[in-house]
């Protein structure tokens, strides 16, 4: 039953657009695509955080790098996704290599703060790029083009593209977790010192993991930019890293579907609060919809304090 | 095989090891004894690479490994075990050992092929499990093992890296008499193919196993020699064995 | 580039650095002793600023408002410590990060609900003019006040930590947490007090910087990250490190932003210089952090060896 579940989900996802009525199609397909893209980003963070045990608070930097590189190429006339997206992936991987190389030499609290700081550095860099919108962001006229007779401007086409990327990412993570590399990464998470003491070059493995995750995040960023035809520096802001982290935690750290569940859950909740007014809640808190993040904060705090099973994967009294 | 020259380490104002000069010959079991706080674990850390040296030289089979990283030393054939059990608690016994086997058998930068298909890896892990007396417990999660079994796994992990010299830090820590006997038997089985530097408090085990003994007191080596000589050594008796050193 | 301009920017850097120190000092001790990552420290800074703005309006006096805001924020900080943060000391870093991140969300919205998105905090009229420091050089009186207050507080803090029994306990705790925790209940209340002091320092910084930077929701986050950079550079748990780090960051950031574009203009074409100059200037402190980390992964003066 459990082995069949992923296939069932995939089948449902494939059939979803066909089942949608034309009137709602745009909205739900677009929303679903957004979930897929965030799920990919969250899954890439899950690799570092859940499987690797590295508490990186700067993952948004890699999503943002991918988003900006692909957007800049698009705005400069390079319409093909076959150039833009690999470029985004390569740029993010490079950023992850650079940031990881310095950050991974540190441990614990230092590592968390440093990843945070470097991500914010990327934010400021991008913010100061006046040529590409600066703090107002960059609007794109069109989504990237994949050729092959497919127009990504169509929501259905984009939906399937995003779904493909997510499926590829999940399958990749599935294989990676079972591979030699995956075993070492999980061993490092379990007991880093002993992993080194039985002969694994821990730093190198962590760095490789960081780069792989950065690359995947870059793809998610490129998709995100094409999806909304807009990118702005906030995509690199550290609160965005926090959001990704919350997704992974809620969905299940170190679980294959953690990123997917978390993204769907958080984005679904966000949509619910913003677009579907709940009268009973409004009766108590008339403006609740504008202060949604207060609710999110309280719920998150409650989960961390009282229901640590939600983050049981990492939180067994272990220090980073 | 192993040579330490003037090896020292301090932590802030505290001197842990000072000018330690020691030598382990090929094929021997060399015991390192000393009172609590003498610096034995620190020294093991310095030899294995877990800790940096403030000064001194560590030579392994003629090569200077003073600045080598720990994983490099393991690859060269020098591995340690830990006094406070440091295993992969949430993995099974066989997975624990398979990791160590994996570490020395080819690259772990393989991202696609599942490890599960590598039968040789797991066969060897099971063989080591048998050697350390955990045959029936292969699939048990390490955290559920009894203390003695965990210590056996602790040593097994080190042995699984096929070291030429193994640094054993109190393998019998916290063990009762039966468990200690098993451990001693294991070490006797293994000594033919692995040189050992053995840190231990269990004097019975030390005198049964050791070819030579070095005594560490307050971070310094005060004596080295055959067991009988050490037993009779006046300074050792005074500093460590106490009045009734006829144990 | 006149010498006066350089001096002025250096003083600005000093001023900013001293205020950063007020934040970093409290933060580094909490990190060092309790090994706790507290992202909500910036929220205390924000609360201090908002409380000061409110109290200044209520009392009509800048000094009164600021002075009252300090104990008010300290009390709130201590309440926060006793209720929520204490339970996080024994938890792992991820839980601490998530919980304090949640606190940021809560504080930001709560402040927005109570006060609105921002509040005015005008500079006291008596200090809004320039003061002549050297012939031909004038410097804003208010900024001199900040430097003065910052220097005095830094000196007091140094004396407290380096010369008193309490300070000795704090330093010992920073270098050996297990020992500190083993010392029992009295130590726990000492840390609550310590946290309160840290919150009070945040209030001083928030209130004093309020007239210069805006008092608005979310003001804590940007300065928090800089405080992190300071601590990473200076070394976790070290007050001396926090001071050196803050001054370094304050001066490098200020002077960098002021002069790097000009410097670039000397060597590169205008189009490149006008884009690259400000961009690099804004990330100069992060590059500084990277360089320091490369040589000293634990900062310049780590409290623990």
């Amino acid at each position: 039953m459990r082995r069949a579940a992923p296939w069932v989900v995939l089948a449902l996802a494939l059939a979803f657009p066909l089942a949608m009525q034309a009137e709602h199609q745009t909205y739900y397909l677009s929303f679903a695509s957004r979930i897929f893209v965030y799920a990919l980003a969250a899954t890439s963070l899950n690799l570092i955080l859940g499987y690797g045990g590295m508490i990186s608070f700067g993952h948004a930097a890699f999503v943002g790098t991918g988003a900006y590189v692909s957007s800049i190429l698009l705005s400069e006339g390079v319409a093909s996704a076959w150039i833009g997206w690999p470029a985004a992936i390569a740029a993010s991987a490079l950023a992850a290599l650079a940031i990881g190389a310095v950050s991974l030499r540190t441990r614990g609290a230092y590592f968390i703060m440093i990843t945070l700081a470097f991500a914010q550095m990327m934010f400021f860099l991008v913010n100061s790029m006046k040529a590409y919108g600066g703090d107002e962001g960059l609007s794109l006229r069109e989504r990237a083009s994949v050729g092959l007779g497919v127009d990504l401007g169509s929501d259905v086409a984009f939906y399937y593209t995003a779904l493909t990327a997510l499926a590829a990412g999940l399958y990749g993570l599935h294989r990676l977790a079972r591979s030699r590399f995956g075993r070492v990464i999980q061993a490092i998470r379990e007991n880093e010192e002993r992993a080194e003491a039985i002969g694994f070059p821990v730093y190198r493995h962590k760095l490789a993991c960081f780069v792989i995750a950065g690359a995947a995040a870059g793809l998610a960023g490129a998709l995100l930019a094409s999806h909304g035809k807009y990118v702005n520096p906030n995509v690199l802001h550290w609160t965005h890293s926090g959001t990704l982290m919350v997704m992974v935690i809620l969905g299940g750290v170190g679980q294959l579907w953690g990123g997917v569940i978390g993204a769907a859950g958080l984005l679904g909740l966000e949509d619910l609060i913003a677009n579907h007014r709940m009268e009973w809640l409004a009766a108590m808190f008339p403006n609740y919809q504008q202060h949604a993040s207060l609710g999110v904060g309280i719920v998150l705090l409650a989960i961390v304090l009282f229901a640590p099973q939600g983050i049981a994967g990492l939180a067994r009294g272990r220090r980073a | 095989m192993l040579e330490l020259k003037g090896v020292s380490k301090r932590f802030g104002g505290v001197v842990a090891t000072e000018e330690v000069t020691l030598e382990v010959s090929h094929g021997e079991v060399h015991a390192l004894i000393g009172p609590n706080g003498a610096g034995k674990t620190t020294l093991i850390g310095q030899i294995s690479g877990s800790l940096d040296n403030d000064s001194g030289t560590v030579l392994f089979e003629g090569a200077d490994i003073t600045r080598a990283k720990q994983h490099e030393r393991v690859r060269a054939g020098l591995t340690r075990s830990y006094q406070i059990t440091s295993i992969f608690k949430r993995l099974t016994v066989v997975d624990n050992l398979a990791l160590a086997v994996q570490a020395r058998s080819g690259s772990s930068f393989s991202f696609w092929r599942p490890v599960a298909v590598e039968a040789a890896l797991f066969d060897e892990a099971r063989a080591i499990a048998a050697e350390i007396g955990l045959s029936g417990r292969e699939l048990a999660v390490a955290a559920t093992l009894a203390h003695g079994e965990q210590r056996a796994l602790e040593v097994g992990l080190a042995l699984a890296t096929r070291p030429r010299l193994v640094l054993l830090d109190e393998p019998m820590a916290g063990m009762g008499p039966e468990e200690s006997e098993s451990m001693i038997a294991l070490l006797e089985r293994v000594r033919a193919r692995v040189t050992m530097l053995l840190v231990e408090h269990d004097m019975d085990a030390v005198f049964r196993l050791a070819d030579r003994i070095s005594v560490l007191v307050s971070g310094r080596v005060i004596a080295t020699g055959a067991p009988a000589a050490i037993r009779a050594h006046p300074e050792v008796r005074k500093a460590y064995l106490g009045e009734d050193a006829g144990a | 580039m006149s010498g006066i301009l350089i001096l002025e920017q250096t003083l600005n850097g000093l001023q900013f650095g001293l205020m950063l120190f007020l934040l970093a000092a409290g933060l580094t001790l909490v990190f060092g002793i309790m090994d706790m990552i507290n992202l909500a420290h910036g929220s205390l800074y924000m609360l201090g600023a908002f409380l000061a703005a409110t109290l200044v309006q209520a009392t009509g006096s800048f000094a009164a408002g600021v002075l009252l805001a300090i104990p008010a924020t300290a009390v709130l900080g201590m309440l926060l410590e006793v209720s929520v943060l204490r339970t996080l000391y024994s938890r792992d870093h991820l839980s601490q990060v998530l919980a304090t991140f949640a606190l940021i969300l809560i504080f930001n919205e709560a402040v927005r609900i109570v006060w609105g998105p921002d509040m005015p905090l005008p500079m006291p009229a008596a200090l809004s003019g320039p003061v002549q420091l050297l012939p031909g050089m004038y410097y804003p009186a208010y900024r001199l006040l900040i430097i003065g207050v910052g220097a005095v507080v830094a000196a007091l803090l140094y004396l407290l930590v380096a010369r008193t029994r309490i300070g000795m306990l704090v330093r010992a705790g920073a270098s050996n947490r297990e020992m500190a925790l083993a010392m029992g209940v009295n130590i726990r209340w000492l840390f609550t007090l310590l946290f309160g002091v840290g919150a009070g320092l945040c209030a001083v910084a928030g209130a004093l910087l309020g007239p210069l930077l805006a008092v608005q929701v979310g003001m804590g986050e940007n300065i928090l990250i800089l405080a992190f950079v300071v601590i990473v550079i200076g070394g976790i748990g070290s007050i001396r490190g926090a001071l050196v780090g803050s001054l370094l960051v304050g001066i490098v950031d200020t002077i960098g932003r002021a002069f790097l574009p000009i410097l670039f203009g000397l060597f590169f074409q205008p189009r490149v210089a006008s884009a690259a100059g400000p961009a690099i200037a804004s990330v100069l402190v992060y590059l500084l952090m990277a360089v320091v980390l490369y040589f000293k992964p634990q900062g310049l003066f780590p409290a623990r060896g």
Side-chain angles (χ1 to χ4, degrees):
Chain A
M1 190 53 222
R2 276 187 76 194
R3 300 188 115 240
W7 297 108
V8 172
V9 172
L10 183 62
L12 285 173
L14 285 169
F16 182 69
L18 307 170
M20 278 282 109
Q21 297 304 316
E23 32 181 300
H24 293 305
Q25 188 176 59
T26 310
Y27 179 72
Y28 283 114
L29 283 183
S30 178
F31 184 58
S33 301
R34 196 152 164 265
I35 290 182
F36 292 157
V37 173
Y38 268 99
L40 180 60
T43 301
S44 70
L45 177 60
N46 198 6
L47 172 60
I48 304 180
L49 181 63
Y51 289 82
M54 296 175 258
I55 305 177
S56 163
F57 213 101
H59 206 64
F62 308 129
V63 176
T65 300
Y68 261 91
V69 166
S70 71
S71 300
I72 289 172
L73 284 171
L74 274 169
S75 73
E76 295 287 356
V78 180
S80 170
W82 298 106
I83 299 178
W85 292 357
I89 293 173
S92 302
L94 209 63
L97 182 65
I99 291 177
V102 179
S103 313
L104 287 168
R105 289 158 62 91
T106 65
R107 298 272 179 84
Y110 285 103
F111 179 71
I112 301 174
M113 288 192 285
I114 289 159
T115 49
L116 181 54
F118 276 133
Q120 201 62 352
M121 176 185 91
M122 300 290 293
F123 170 79
F124 284 124
L125 263 176
V126 164
N127 213 13
S128 65
M129 289 194 311
K130 299 292 176 231
Y132 296 110
D135 64 338
E136 283 175 5
L138 185 62
S139 286
L140 305 168
R141 269 181 336 172
E142 269 166 356
R143 292 177 175 166
S145 117
V146 285
L148 307 173
V150 170
D151 171 29
L152 282 189
S154 136
D155 287 312
V156 177
F158 193 86
Y159 173 94
Y160 282 118
T161 307
L163 179 60
T164 307
L166 176 62
L170 281 172
Y171 186 62
L173 180 59
H174 173 78
R175 298 281 315 214
L176 192 73
R178 285 162 157 60
S179 71
R180 277 192 164 220
F181 184 78
R183 287 238 169 177
V184 178
I185 287 295
Q186 290 169 86
I188 291 173
R189 180 195 70 203
E190 197 56 39
N191 187 339
E192 180 168 335
E193 182 165 357
R194 199 64 200 266
E196 176 97 19
I198 54 175
F200 288 117
V202 166
Y203 173 76
R204 258 177 258 167
H205 278 97
K206 280 170 134 181
L207 187 57
C209 186
F210 211 71
V211 170
I212 293 172
L219 178 60
L223 287 168
L224 194 65
S226 262
H227 180 250
K229 292 192 282 199
Y230 174 66
V231 68
N232 97 351
N234 282 333
V235 96
L236 293 117
H237 199 257
W238 69 281
T239 46
H240 205 228
S241 291
T243 303
L244 286 172
M245 213 180 247
V246 171
M247 285 181 185
V248 175
I249 301 307
L250 290 179
V253 211
Q255 312 292 323
L256 183 64
W257 293 88
V260 177
I261 296 173
L266 199 63
L267 289 176
L269 195 65
E270 200 180 80
D271 184 65
L272 194 68
I273 293 177
N275 298 330
H276 304 276
R277 195 175 165 82
M278 289 179 279
E279 290 310 321
W280 60 272
L281 199 54
M284 287 190 280
F285 308 106
N287 283 338
Y288 83 90
Q289 285 171 315
Q290 284 140 301
H291 302 296
S293 54
L294 180 65
V296 171
I298 293 176
V299 168
L300 181 60
L301 185 62
I303 291 180
V304 174
L305 292 180
F306 304 119
Q309 285 75 28
I311 32 184
L314 225 56
R316 299 191 187 202
R318 268 197 72 244
R319 295 301 168 116
Chain B
M1 199 185 205
L2 176 74
E3 258 190 270
L4 302 176
K5 295 184 185 169
V7 164
S8 311
K9 180 145 191 81
R10 14 168 28 106
F11 293 102
V14 177
V15 174
T17 56
E18 195 174 357
E19 292 297 314
V20 171
T21 298
L22 188 69
E23 174 262 318
V24 177
S25 311
H26 189 92
E28 73 165 335
V29 173
H30 191 124
L32 184 64
I33 65 176
N36 278 321
K40 306 189 293 295
T41 297
T42 305
L43 192 64
I44 296 285
Q46 288 178 270
I47 302 172
S48 67
S50 321
L51 293 171
D52 291 327
N53 296 305
D54 287 344
S55 65
T57 324
V58 180
L59 296 165
F60 182 60
E61 302 206 298
D64 186 342
I65 60 166
T66 317
R67 299 267 163 259
K69 298 214 186 71
Q70 185 168 23
H71 67 86
E72 290 168 347
R73 301 187 199 198
V74 174
R75 296 283 176 133
L78 177 63
T79 311
R80 75 171 285 185
S81 75
Y82 288 79
Q83 178 189 355
I84 301 175
T85 308
S86 175
I87 54 185
F88 300 100
K89 286 220 148 83
R90 286 189 290 179
L91 301 182
T92 62
V93 169
V94 88
D95 282 340
N96 263 268
L97 295 168
L99 268 174
V101 176
Q102 180 186 324
R104 61 160 178 76
S105 59
S107 164
S108 283
F109 284 96
S110 136
F111 305 98
W112 196 251
R113 205 160 160 257
V115 171
V117 308
E118 292 189 54
L121 214 63
F122 292 95
D123 287 339
E124 192 174 335
R126 274 186 281 269
I128 299 170
E131 182 159 43
I132 58 176
L134 291 179
S135 270
R137 304 283 274 148
E138 284 161 14
L139 297 176
V141 169
T144 65
L145 295 177
H147 178 77
E149 293 174 318
Q150 284 194 355
R151 295 304 291 159
L153 180 59
E154 172 64 46
V155 172
L157 268 177
L159 294 175
T161 65
R162 291 229 196 114
R164 291 211 279 277
L165 169 62
V166 70
L167 309 162
L168 296 166
D169 196 349
E170 298 196 37
M172 280 163 263
M175 279 190 178
E178 252 184 50
E179 292 167 328
S180 295
E181 276 303 320
S182 300
M183 181 62 75
I184 294 176
L186 167 63
L187 296 179
E188 289 281 10
R189 282 199 296 276
V190 159
R191 70 187 295 164
R193 57 171 212 264
V194 186
T195 306
M196 296 186 216
L197 178 61
L198 171 69
V199 170
E200 249 312 326
H201 271 303
D202 183 338
M203 285 301 118
D204 182 43
V206 168
F207 285 109
R208 274 167 66 181
L209 289 166
D211 295 316
R212 282 195 299 165
I213 302 177
S214 288
V215 185
L216 198 68
V217 176
S218 299
R220 295 182 145 272
V221 175
I222 62 167
T224 300
I230 292 296
R231 231 183 239 187
H233 197 292
E235 267 193 64
V236 173
R237 293 170 80 118
K238 197 170 59 172
Y240 183 45
L241 293 174
E243 288 295 319
D244 46 331
Chain C
M1 255 197 314
S2 64
I4 287 180
L5 192 60
I6 296 179
L7 183 61
E8 189 180 80
Q9 291 303 327
T10 308
L11 284 173
N12 284 349
L14 184 64
Q15 170 237 304
F16 187 52
L18 284 169
M19 290 297 103
L20 259 184
F21 172 64
L22 295 184
L23 256 88
L27 201 55
T28 199
L29 287 178
V30 169
F31 268 100
I33 301 176
M34 304 315 292
D35 195 20
M36 176 158 115
I37 300 187
N38 179 19
L39 296 179
H41 203 73
S43 301
L44 291 169
Y45 164 83
M46 173 181 69
L47 267 174
F50 271 87
L51 282 171
T54 308
L55 289 166
V56 165
Q57 268 185 10
T59 63
S61 150
F62 184 80
V66 171
L67 287 171
L68 286 172
I70 297 172
T73 314
V75 165
L76 281 172
M78 288 194 277
L79 281 173
L80 182 68
E81 197 265 355
V82 168
S83 59
V84 173
L85 296 177
R86 237 189 222 185
T87 57
L88 292 173
Y89 291 153
S90 54
R91 302 284 298 273
D92 61 293
H93 283 146
L94 182 60
S95 301
Q96 293 170 354
V97 163
L98 289 171
T100 52
F101 179 65
L103 283 173
I104 291 181
L105 295 177
I106 294 173
F107 275 122
N108 276 342
E109 276 315 305
V111 165
R112 197 192 303 269
I113 292 175
V114 171
W115 278 287
D118 53 43
M119 269 207 83
L121 181 56
M123 207 178 285
L127 292 167
S128 53
V131 164
Q132 183 173 36
L133 289 180
L134 296 173
M137 190 209 166
Y138 291 84
Y139 194 67
Y142 187 70
R143 288 182 183 253
L144 278 177
L145 172 76
I146 295 184
I147 293 178
V149 170
V152 166
V153 172
L156 282 175
L157 203 59
Y158 174 73
L159 282 175
L160 182 73
V161 170
R163 295 290 154 95
T164 65
R165 288 251 314 272
I166 288 184
M168 186 202 70
L169 286 172
V170 164
R171 270 183 305 138
S175 63
N176 189 332
R177 199 182 353 113
E178 285 77 27
M179 183 215 78
L181 289 175
M183 280 161 74
V185 176
N186 287 334
I187 282 286
R188 295 246 303 269
W189 286 110
L190 179 65
F191 293 150
T192 305
L193 194 66
L194 191 71
F195 200 84
V197 169
L201 291 174
C202 285
V204 174
L208 287 179
L209 284 176
L212 293 177
L213 318 169
V215 174
Q216 61 194 21
V217 169
M219 66 192 280
E221 276 73 279
N222 286 330
I223 205 166
L224 178 74
I225 302 219
L226 279 179
F228 281 165
V229 172
V230 164
I231 291 176
V232 165
I233 290 178
I236 289 183
S238 163
I239 291 280
R240 183 168 37 143
L243 185 59
V244 171
S246 314
L247 293 177
L248 212 56
V249 168
I251 291 177
V252 165
D253 187 59
T254 309
I255 295 213
R257 282 177 198 272
F259 296 119
L260 206 65
I262 300 173
L263 201 67
F264 269 46
L266 290 176
F267 292 105
F268 299 112
Q269 288 189 4
R271 241 192 49 181
V272 173
S274 65
I280 306 273
S282 63
V283 302
L284 208 54
V285 285
Y286 300 101
L287 293 174
L288 173 67
M289 181 183 78
V291 168
V292 169
L293 280 178
Y294 185 78
F295 294 105
K296 299 205 137 214
Q298 292 205 295
L300 295 171
F301 305 103
R304 276 176 263 180

